[in-house]
Amino acid sequence: MALNLEVRFSRRAALLAAGGLLAGCKPRPEADKVHLRLATGPAGAVYRRIGGALAEHISEQVPGATVTTVPSGASTDNIRMLRAGEVHLGLTSLDALITTDGSAPDGLAAICRLYDSHLHLVVLAGSAIDEFRDLGGKRISLGARDSGTEFTSLRVLKLGPVNADGRYLSQAESAAALRDGTIDAMFSLTGVPTPAITELAQRHPIRLIRLDAQADALFTAYPGPYAPAMIPATAYAGVPATRTVAVPNVLLARNDLPDDLVYAITDTIFTHTGTITSASRDDAAVPEAWHINVRTGISTASVPLHPGAAAWFRDRKR
């Protein structure tokens, strides 16, 4: 099977090398090489970390493939770059991808579901903000522009309804601004734990505001991508377990990526998950990788699987 897969991939790669995967790409002299771009996220975000791990392992395990990461604002920015042909692969939260009628954007398909993000609402321990409604009039980071955090936090505030003084800051910028007192709270839709919040909690006592009522409101208004969840007490130093909302994250591909190539990428993600999780065990680099598994990987809601990924999941059942 591995030999046949490599042969099919080499033939596809030759076609890609001749024509170029993206507009403006020059033909590659190596017929068995393909160079892919993977959109990740901003500094301090889990997308940046797990995207880097995926790129590294795909490059190591898929014959002839090299994957380069592209920093971004995150979810909606990644979707934009995919649709524009600027990248081949990208990470996104499911709610930012699914339109209000339940469909996904044309030209894109899912390779798999990876892990779930949890919506954090973070304040310093001494803050006067005790619950969601206290955000009215406060200086709040909504995440980076075009990020999943921005998308979901704006939905939450609209459903509140709560009028806040929104700021657009990356994960790392938000944590620094909260520490320095230039904002009063920060939203973060991310994996648990997330580096920027972990580092902040290690230096300054923080609290997480419960969002269980907001989880119910999102689930009612936008059925499909949301579920009630809990950020565990083990996530951040000195912070008790907190109820919130979870959103799945998926790895997307352009529909014009060859089926054999996507099959190989899917195989690498699930067959070599242990390699990624071993790395995270050693240095806590990618704890989200522990949540990648075949059982949930196929669950991408109304977003269709790429034919190459669908073929891999079918073969897995045989």
Side-chain angles (χ1 to χ4, degrees):
M1 176 64 184
L3 178 59
N4 289 338
L5 176 61
E6 183 171 352
V7 170
R8 293 200 307 272
F9 169 62
S10 295
R11 185 175 69 250
R12 294 284 192 175
L15 295 174
L16 295 173
L21 273 171
L22 298 176
C25 283
K26 295 181 179 179
R28 303 286 182 179
E30 313 94 333
D32 60 343
K33 301 293 184 182
V34 60
H35 299 268
L36 304 174
R37 288 163 58 84
L38 167 61
T40 59
V46 170
Y47 274 12
R48 180 79 69 90
R49 182 172 59 188
I50 199 165
L54 288 171
E56 177 183 350
H57 288 281
I58 292 169
S59 297
E60 290 176 352
Q61 301 295 336
V62 177
T66 301
V67 184
T68 302
T69 58
V70 179
S72 70
S75 292
T76 56
D77 195 21
N78 294 348
I79 294 169
R80 178 195 61 77
M81 286 194 288
L82 280 161
R83 299 190 73 187
E86 297 172 10
V87 297
H88 312 86
L89 306 167
L91 300 164
T92 184
S93 59
L94 202 57
D95 62 338
L97 180 64
I98 298 175
T99 61
T100 53
D101 65 2
S103 63
D106 292 338
L108 304 181
I111 292 180
C112 63
R113 175 174 172 170
L114 294 170
Y115 67 97
D116 290 357
S117 284
H118 291 60
L119 186 61
H120 299 60
L121 178 53
V122 187
V123 298
L124 294 181
S127 172
I129 299 172
D130 292 319
E131 53 187 284
F132 180 77
R133 65 181 180 181
D134 295 335
L135 294 178
K138 298 296 193 296
R139 302 164 299 173
I140 312 299
S141 173
L142 304 174
R145 288 193 182 275
D146 296 324
S147 66
T149 298
E150 177 199 20
F151 186 90
T152 307
S153 61
L154 286 175
R155 274 189 169 179
V156 167
L157 290 171
K158 182 178 180 180
L159 289 172
V162 170
N163 292 317
D165 179 7
R167 313 289 175 88
Y168 294 92
L169 304 171
S170 70
Q171 302 271 3
E173 292 168 341
S174 296
L178 187 59
R179 176 199 65 206
D180 296 340
T182 56
I183 60 172
D184 302 301
M186 62 175 281
F187 279 109
S188 178
L189 181 68
T190 184
V192 179
T194 193
I197 299 174
T198 296
E199 293 172 9
L200 178 65
Q202 289 171 346
R203 293 170 172 78
H204 303 274
I206 65 169
R207 288 188 289 112
L208 295 178
I209 304 300
R210 61 185 295 170
L211 296 171
D212 45 342
Q214 288 65 46
D216 291 342
L218 283 168
F219 184 81
T220 300
Y222 307 99
Y226 299 109
M230 181 80 75
I231 298 174
T234 54
Y236 304 106
V239 180
T242 308
R243 294 188 181 278
T244 186
V245 61
V247 184
N249 294 287
V250 296
L251 176 62
L252 293 178
R254 288 178 53 85
N255 284 348
D256 55 9
L257 278 190
D259 295 356
D260 295 337
L261 175 57
V262 174
Y263 187 108
I265 290 171
T266 310
D267 184 66
T268 293
I269 290 171
F270 292 103
T271 304
H272 298 282
T273 300
T275 306
I276 303 174
T277 53
S278 295
S280 70
R281 188 186 302 114
D282 292 339
D283 59 12
V286 205
E288 296 75 23
W290 285 99
H291 300 284
I292 300 173
N293 64 83
V294 175
R295 181 178 58 82
T296 59
I298 199 171
S299 302
T300 57
S302 60
V303 182
L305 287 172
H306 189 285
W312 186 89
F313 282 108
R314 283 195 304 271
D315 287 349
R316 179 76 179 185
K317 293 179 181 179
R318 293 175 182 172

